[in-house]
């Protein structure tokens, strides 16, 4: 696409400013939430002790040794980073940040492989601005979550497979299969790319069963390692992944439409969804204007990847809105394809509006959370506690990075707050875990307001020792001016 020189300089300046925003206050924005503490402990344990366990979530089903919240690769990579750089919030987010920048480059390379677009400065700048200006991409690029690493492996698999189609050499095919396996051992839903590339080979007229076997073997290698880890305590895997999550009950075909509706039309994703549909219409309209006999023939590979991704969630019951980042590269490939069509001035105006909306959303996000200071919050809580000793704390997982020198248990531990729990059961469990202090945030108080056994325990068995007012933390980022109550359990 031709861009006037002033516009190109504006795009370059915008890219640099957006990139700078990705590199500052990484340890405070996004604000520290439940997942940050829970998942940080996994990598910290791997870094220091060599196992992937979470003591805070131990319910008696080996969570302290084998925690199956997700496949393990992301937490292993994070643990290796911790070994090199130390343990902390900033360090826990570096893998996602580096993967995010890699994703931009890989998507640019795919635009040349899949769509045969020129690998020009213009197209790279446009793709970079699309990604860097998108709020959900910004959040996940600086979060302790596995989505970005999984997406980087997915794109590497597709890029390697595209290179195999051009050269028919075995090496890129093996690399593609290996990347598929690495993606699957990072996030379960990445099975969609394994299925897609396997089907692509099966329908290839020039397919080679030997090469299909090599691809499958390469994909199976990381999965086999994962399987061997699972078999070290298979009952723990079954309990944590299926029984504790009520997986069977949540797999309900009736809810599939509602699941997809929320995925595409949530507050964080609706803007991109609308402009994705407009890009398809724009391409269709241009083809009609050119008098093409089959104007519906648009680039099919990116669309097929999206459809394969969505098909997986017919069987996987959770379609988290954050997973939307997985389809962003394929949506942006349509954007860049539409912008490269001649006389597509209408879509150029639409995409300018899209960028303005994204930049506005990113600006609002920065304005809302720019003053969050987790270190100051942690120090205020620490000042109200005695030094670590032969006792445990019960608190929200978001406090773990600040309190990880203590023996720490999480409220959402399935053996503490659970369906069917009672006042006597809670007392007995906390006594067994040697819990001496309960840190009860505003978020916890509202979340568990209907659980009478917690309120009864706090009133009858605890003494309030401190109330901390914090402008930012205590409500999981939902509001300002929060309170945190620290209780000491009365000796029995």
């Amino acid at each position: 696409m031709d861009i006037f020189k002033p516009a190109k300089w504006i795009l370059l300046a915008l890219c640099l400013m957006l990139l700078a925003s990705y590199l500052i206050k990484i340890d405070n924005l996004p604000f520290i939430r439940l997942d940050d503490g829970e998942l940080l402990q996994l990598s910290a344990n791997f870094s220091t002790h060599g196992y992937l366990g979470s003591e805070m979530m131990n319910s008696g089903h080996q969570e302290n040794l084998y925690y199956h919240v997700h496949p393990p690769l992301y937490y292993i990579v994070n643990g290796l980073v911790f070994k090199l750089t130390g343990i902390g919030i900033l360090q826990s987010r570096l893998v996602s940040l580096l993967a995010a920048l890699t994703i931009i480059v890989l998507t640019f390379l795919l635009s040349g492989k899949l769509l045969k677009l020129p690998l020009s400065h213009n197209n790279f700048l446009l793709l970079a601005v699309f990604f860097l200006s998108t709020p959900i991409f910004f959040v996940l690029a600086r979060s302790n979550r596995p989505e970005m690493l999984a997406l980087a492996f997915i794109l590497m698999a597709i890029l390697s497979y595209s290179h195999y189609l051009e050269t028919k050499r075995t090496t890129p095919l093996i690399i593609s299969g290996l990347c598929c396996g690495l993606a699957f051992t990072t996030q379960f839903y990445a099975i969609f790319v394994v299925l897609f590339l396997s089907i692509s080979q099966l329908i290839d007229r020039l397919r080679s069963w030997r090469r299909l076997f090599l691809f499958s073997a390469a994909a199976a290698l990381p999965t086999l390692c994962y399987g061997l880890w699972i078999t070290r305590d298979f009952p723990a895997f079954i309990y944590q992944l299926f029984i504790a999550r009520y997986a069977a009950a949540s797999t309900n075909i009736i809810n599939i439409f509602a699941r997809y509706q929320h995925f595409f039309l949530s507050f964080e994703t609706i803007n991109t969804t609308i402009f994705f549909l407009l890009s398809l219409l724009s391409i269709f309209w241009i083809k009609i204007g050119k008098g093409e006999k089959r104007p519906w023939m648009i680039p099919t590979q990116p669309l097929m990847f999206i459809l394969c991704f969505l098909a997986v969630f017919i069987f996987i019951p959770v379609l988290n809105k954050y997973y939307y980042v997985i389809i962003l590269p394929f949506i942006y490939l349509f954007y860049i394809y539409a912008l490269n069509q001649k006389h597509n001035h209408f879509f150029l105006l639409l995409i300018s509006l899209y960028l303005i909306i994204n930049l506005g959303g990113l600006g609002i996000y920065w304005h809302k959370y720019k003053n969050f200071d987790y270190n100051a919050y942690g120090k205020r809580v620490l000042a109200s506690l005695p030094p670590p000793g032969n006792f445990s704390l019960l608190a929200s997982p978001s406090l773990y990075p600040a309190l990880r020198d203590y023996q720490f248990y999480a409220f959402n531990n399935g053996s503490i707050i659970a369906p069917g729990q009672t006042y006597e059961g809670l007392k007995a469990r906390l006594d067994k875990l040697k819990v001496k202090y309960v840190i009860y945030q505003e978020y916890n108080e509202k979340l568990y307001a209907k659980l009478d056994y917690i309120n009864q325990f706090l009133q009858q068995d605890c003494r309030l020792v401190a109330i901390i007012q914090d402008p930012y933390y205590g409500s999981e980022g939902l509001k300002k001016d929060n309170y945190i109550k620290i209780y000491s359990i009365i000796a029995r």
Side-chain angles (χ1 to χ4, degrees), residues 113-370:
K113 290 285 187 181
L114 295 182
L115 306 182
K116 307 303 178 186
L117 296 177
L119 297 178
S120 64
H121 295 100
N122 295 344
N123 284 336
F124 179 79
L125 288 174
L126 284 167
L127 278 171
V129 168
F130 290 153
F131 278 109
L132 295 175
S133 68
T134 304
I136 196 170
F137 189 80
F138 172 84
V139 169
L140 289 174
R142 295 156 52 102
S143 294
N144 182 19
R145 293 181 62 93
E147 282 80 13
M148 287 301 192
L149 184 60
L151 179 54
F153 283 131
I154 288 167
L155 294 177
M156 282 189 276
I158 298 168
L159 190 62
S160 296
Y161 186 77
S162 299
H163 186 60
Y164 155 73
L165 291 178
E166 289 182 354
T167 64
K168 293 301 179 182
R169 293 172 57 192
T170 303
T171 301
L173 183 64
I174 293 175
I175 293 173
S176 178
L178 184 61
C179 288
C180 285
L182 293 173
F184 176 72
T185 52
T186 305
Q187 279 281 39
F188 285 124
Y189 57 67
I191 191 67
F192 86 92
V193 72
V194 181
L195 293 173
F196 179 86
L197 294 180
S198 297
I199 292 170
S200 298
Q201 291 179 72
L202 287 172
I203 63 177
D204 187 351
R205 293 179 180 177
L206 301 177
R207 66 176 175 269
S208 165
W209 292 107
R210 173 181 168 274
R211 287 178 174 171
L212 179 59
F213 171 78
L214 290 173
F215 171 84
S216 302
L221 183 60
T223 308
L224 178 62
C225 296
Y226 178 35
L228 291 174
W229 181 66
I230 290 172
T231 58
R232 297 180 72 176
D233 196 326
F234 191 65
F237 173 78
I238 293 297
Y239 178 84
Q240 293 178 38
L241 202 63
F242 298 101
I243 298 174
R245 294 186 176 188
Y246 305 97
S250 59
T251 306
N252 187 339
I253 297 232
I254 298 174
N255 295 327
I256 287 176
F257 177 77
R259 190 187 307 163
Y260 289 139
Q261 184 181 34
H262 174 72
F263 179 73
F264 282 109
L265 302 180
S266 69
F267 178 76
E268 293 85 354
T269 62
I270 188 171
N271 182 39
T272 303
T273 298
I274 290 172
F275 282 89
F276 171 52
L277 296 175
L278 290 174
S279 70
L280 295 179
L281 290 174
S282 176
I283 296 170
F284 183 75
W285 184 258
I286 288 291
K287 285 179 175 288
I288 288 178
K290 291 180 179 178
E292 294 190 15
K293 295 180 179 179
R294 296 187 295 174
W296 60 87
M297 296 297 290
I298 58 177
T300 56
Q301 295 101 327
L303 187 59
M304 286 302 298
F305 283 123
I306 294 172
L307 293 176
C308 286
F309 172 79
L310 296 175
V312 167
F313 293 95
I314 295 174
F315 307 100
I316 298 178
V318 177
L319 184 54
N320 192 312
K321 65 184 178 183
Y322 288 134
Y323 298 170
Y324 199 95
V325 76
I326 301 296
I327 64 174
L328 274 183
F330 309 110
I331 289 176
Y332 290 159
L333 285 175
F334 275 105
Y335 285 7
I336 205 74
Y337 183 85
L339 287 170
N340 274 267
Q341 304 301 303
K342 292 183 179 179
H343 311 301
N344 203 356
H345 303 301
F346 175 68
F347 186 67
L348 180 59
L349 292 174
L350 285 174
I351 216 63
S352 300
L353 177 60
Y354 173 74
L355 290 175
I356 291 170
I357 294 171
N358 270 0
L359 290 169
L362 200 56
I364 291 169
Y365 191 87
W366 265 104
H367 176 74
K368 184 176 181 180
Y369 299 116
K370 62 181 169 57

